[in-house]
Amino acid sequence: MPAFAEREAIQEEAFKLPALPTTTIGSFPQTKEVRAKRLAFRKGELSQEEYDAFLAETIDEWIKWQEEVGFDVLVHGEFERNDMVEYFGQNLSGYLFSKNGWVQSYGMRGVKPPIIWGDVTRLNPITVKWSSYAQSRTDKPVKGMLTGPVTILNWSFPREDISIKDSTLQIALAIKDEVLDLEAAGVKIIQIDEAALREKLPLRRSDWYEDYLDWAIPAFRLVHSTVAPDTQIHTHMCYSEFTDIIPAIDNLDADVISFEASRSNLEILDELKAKNFQTEVGPGVYDIHSPRVPNEGEIDHTIEAILAKVPSKKVWINPDCGLKTRGIPETKESLIRLVEAAKAAREKL
């Protein structure tokens, strides 16, 4: 794969995105209707054809809305997915699930971590159907959305007969197959989320690299190691402070990294500047973990703060996390303000 600077130039020519391109992290609100339809399908009360028609209609509505608002890189919304790890576990061999083994994620939100019982492989494409469908509905780029191997492992109950390193590399090979299938289907921007990258860091800093990062970072790189240089790889990180592992994150060799940064008052930007961070970045411009809609001018101020520390050609404008748990009215109002603020900042540039 070419070096980052060479890929950056190739992708700039391929996508022709404006300065400060706008996107979201991936998921849109999973309403009661979305969850009810998924449950009805799982119970056999809804046929595959009926469920697919509902998903297609929902994706169409959100693709059209994103175009109307003026987003530069769109997402399909992930309406077919339950949890970002459980969904992949259900579609990989070597996994099983409890019926009621809920674990608190945050607040009132719970997840059912999958259980790894054997070697992990991918038997069939997992995300290609709906990502390629969404791309067929618009001329703008649509991101393919995947969960990375380290996060899938860290949010699963692992095997004990082999190392977590070996399990993670098995998952990485499975997700790599998915990346290549998305690319072959015409999805040229692919986001591989590593929300939980930091969670298994050893307590002693002296052990961080030898015991964890020296294999966790290569596992991520393995996933996207053979894509074409004009396929843009994104990743997203949240739920943790990342300022102390910035060099390792840059070494993921992604093209764009979005961070959950709004709740830490964008403190990570100082570290990015100090460490001469090369990857393009999307520091979250507002906090999605509350129903609060940003005030007029609030996102404008945040973008100004970002541009004071990061070169404009390196900056993407996005929320700080996925929008699955939010309501539709607050989501749309917040995202409209985000796009308006990005356009205003572009004019100033």
Side-chain angles (χ1 to χ4, degrees), residues 90-140:
Q90 288 172 332
N91 288 279
L92 293 170
S93 67
Y95 273 96
L96 57 83
F97 291 83
S98 64
K99 289 186 177 180
N100 298 298
W102 294 96
V103 173
Q104 184 183 26
S105 175
Y106 66 88
M108 297 295 290
R109 185 178 174 217
V111 295
K112 291 204 309 295
I115 301 163
I116 305 176
W117 67 267
D119 290 335
V120 177
T121 59
R122 189 196 73 146
L123 302 179
N124 297 292
I126 301 170
T127 68
V128 176
K129 176 180 178 179
W130 292 115
S131 292
S132 59
Y133 172 78
Q135 184 61 80
S136 74
R137 309 301 286 176
T138 179
D139 292 329
K140 289 189 172 184

